[in-house]
Amino acid sequence: MAQLWGGRFTKATDKLVYEFNASIGFDQRFFKEDLQGSRAHVRMLAKQGILTEAERDDILAGLDGIEADVESGKLEITSEYEDIHSFVEANLIDRIGDAGKKLHTGRSRNDQVALDMRLYTRSQVLYTEIQINHLLHTILHIMEEHTETIMPGFTHLQKAQPITLAHHLGAYFEMFRRDELRLQDIYNRMNYCPLGSGALAGTTYPLDREYTAELLDFYGPTENSMDGVSDRDYLIEYLSALSTIMMHLSRFSEEVIIWNSNEYRFVEIDDAYSTGSSIMPQKKNPDIAELVRGKTGRVYGALMSLLTTMKGIPLAYNKDMQEDKEMAFDAMDTTNGCIQLFDGMLETIQFNKDNMEASAKNGFTNATDAADYLVNHGVPFRDAHSIIGQVVLYCIDRGIAIDDMTLDELQAISPVFEEDIYEAISMDTCVNKRLTVGAPGKEAMEKAIESYKEYLAE
Ligand code: ARG
C-alpha cells in the first residue's frame, strides 16, 4: 500500500478499507491525461519561479521515463497504489528523489482528478463526434441511392402512406446530426481548465492558471475554484448525449430487426454482420441490431447513476465523486462501439427494393390520396374519408388493392371516380406529388440531400 497521506495516521489502513477506497483499478485509464496535466503544472510552476528550471527538467524527464516504462511493460500499474495520481507521484520520487516531491506543489488530487477526467472526457467527446460523422456519411450515401425506392411509411406499425427509403433514412440523418451538434455544444461548454482550483479554495502560490489552461488547449481556466473541483456537469451532459445517441441507434435497430424478419424481408443483413443458431440451421439472426438495442439500457444506467451520485453532494469535493468513473467509462466504450458496429452493418446491408415497393402497394398506403382525389372533385373530406373506407373494406373482402378495382366497381361505390383515379393513386404520384419542404417527393428529397451534403462538407 503506497499512500500519499500517511503523516497524520498512527495505524495502517484496514485492508478492506484500502480496497474499498482505491480507484487504481479504473482510473489508470487516464494515466496519459494525468501525465499531461502534471507536465503542464510543472512547466507553469517553473515559469512562475516556484520551482527551478533544473527541478522542472528533472520532473519532466522522470515523467517521460515513467511513461516509456509503462508503455514498454517494464513498469506495471498495480493495486499497490491507491490511485493513478499516487502511482505517478510515488514512481517519480523513486526515480528522481527530492525534486519529485515538489510536483504536487500548489495542487490537490481534487483539482488533479477534475482535470484528468475532463481531459479524458474531452477526447472521448471528440471521438464520438468522429464516429457519428462517419455514420452520417453512411446514411447520406444510402439516401442518394434510394430517392426512388418506394416503401410503406408506418404509424402504429401499420402501413400509412408511401414514402421512399431516402426519406425514411433522412429522419435518422436529422437525429444523428442533432447528436453531433449536441456533442459540439458540450465540447464548447466543458473546455475550461479546473487545474489550479487546489483542494477547493485555490492556493497562495502565484499560479498562472491561464498558462496551464493554454498548455492543455483549454479556452481558459474555470472561474470558481469550488465549482472547478466539484463540477461533473460536463460528464452528465455527455452521458445524456450518449443516451440520446443510443436511443436513436436503438430505434433504428428495432426497424432493422423488423425489416429483416421473415414477414417483411425489406433488408438482407450481410453475413459478416449476422449470426446463426446452434440448433436451427435456417437461421440468420440480427444479433448486432439486437445487442445495440439491448445495450442502450446500460448507457441510460450510467446517466442515472451519476445524476443520483451528484444530487446529495455538498460543496466541494467528496469521495462520492470517485463514482463518476466506472459506469461512465463503460457508457463511453459501449456507445462508441455500438456506433461503429451499427455503421458497419448499415454500410453492408442490402435493401430488397421489390419487397418494399410491393409492401407499400399492398397496404392501402394510397388510401389518403384516393380520398384527396374525391376532395379535388368536390366531395367534402369527411364524406371522401367514408367512401374510401368502403372501398378499402371491399378490397379487404376480395384480397385486392384499390388499384386492382375496375372503374365499374369503383363507380358503384361513388360515381365521382373517373379513369384518372388510377394515375392519381399510383405509388409514383403518391410519393412524388409530396413536394413540400421535408416531404418524400423526389425533388424535395434531392434538396434535402443537397443541404446534408453541404452540412457534411463544412
Ligand atoms: N480517486 C479520487 C477520485 O477519483 C481522486 C481524488 C482524491 N481526493 C481526495 N480528496 N481523496 O475522485
Side-chain angles (χ1 to χ4, degrees), residues 23 27 83 85 109-110 113 317 319 321-322 325:
S23 55
D27 62 18
D83 53 30
H85 325 296
R109 271 187 299 165
N110 298 351
V113 77
Y317 180 84
K319 197 60 175 258
M321 291 168 74
Q322 180 165 289
K325 297 178 191 63

Side-chain angles (χ1 to χ4, degrees), residues 5 21-24 26-27 30 82-85 108-114 232 317-325:
W5 39 261
N21 190 48
S23 55
I24 188 111
F26 44 87
D27 62 18
F30 47 55
E82 179 185 336
D83 53 30
I84 195 64
H85 325 296
S108 157
R109 271 187 299 165
N110 298 351
D111 61 343
Q112 188 177 1
V113 77
R232 297 294 183 274
Y317 180 84
N318 294 259
K319 197 60 175 258
D320 319 38
M321 291 168 74
Q322 180 165 289
E323 285 298 307
D324 66 352
K325 297 178 191 63

Side-chain angles (χ1 to χ4, degrees), residues 132-133 135-140 142-143 151 154 157 163-180 182 244-259 292 342 346 351 445 452 455-456:
I132 288 287
N133 192 269
L135 177 61
L136 286 171
H137 278 96
T138 305
I139 293 174
L140 186 59
I142 300 172
M143 288 178 69
M151 65 180 285
F154 297 86
L157 206 52
I163 54 166
T164 63
L165 182 56
H167 189 243
H168 197 117
L169 262 68
Y172 285 102
F173 190 99
E174 293 283 342
M175 291 180 237
F176 293 118
R177 173 165 66 169
R178 285 195 293 273
D179 288 328
E180 181 169 49
R182 229 183 313 276
T244 307
I245 290 170
M246 288 303 293
M247 180 268 288
H248 292 154
L249 285 176
S250 183
R251 294 182 76 176
F252 206 164
S253 292
E254 171 71 5
E255 299 204 301
V256 168
I257 293 162
I258 292 171
W259 293 350
V292 169
F342 190 91
L346 201 59
F351 293 96
M445 234 23 256
Y452 294 163
Y455 169 79
L456 287 180

Side-chain angles (χ1 to χ4, degrees), residues 150-153 160-164 360 365-366 369 426-427 430-431 434 440:
I150 288 172
M151 65 180 285
Q161 291 173 344
I163 54 166
T164 63
T365 57
N366 52 4
D369 293 82
S426 75
M427 286 294 120
C430 292
V431 169
R434 289 186 155 76

Side-chain angles (χ1 to χ4, degrees), residues 364-381:
F364 302 107
T365 57
N366 52 4
T368 313
D369 293 82
D372 288 344
Y373 171 90
L374 294 176
V375 170
N376 288 331
H377 288 71
V379 181
F381 181 78

Side-chain angles (χ1 to χ4, degrees), residues 77-128:
I77 302 175
T78 63
S79 57
E80 189 192 333
Y81 305 91
E82 179 185 336
D83 53 30
I84 195 64
H85 325 296
S86 318
F87 167 83
V88 171
E89 195 175 321
N91 275 282
L92 186 69
I93 294 167
D94 277 355
R95 274 164 203 250
I96 66 166
D98 280 351
K101 295 184 182 165
K102 297 190 175 180
L103 167 64
H104 210 51
T105 311
R107 188 174 70 171
S108 157
R109 271 187 299 165
N110 298 351
D111 61 343
Q112 188 177 1
V113 77
L115 172 67
D116 292 2
M117 195 61 188
R118 206 178 279 235
L119 285 171
Y120 184 80
T121 305
R122 184 178 70 176
S123 69
Q124 288 287 307
V125 168
L126 286 177
Y127 182 56
T128 308

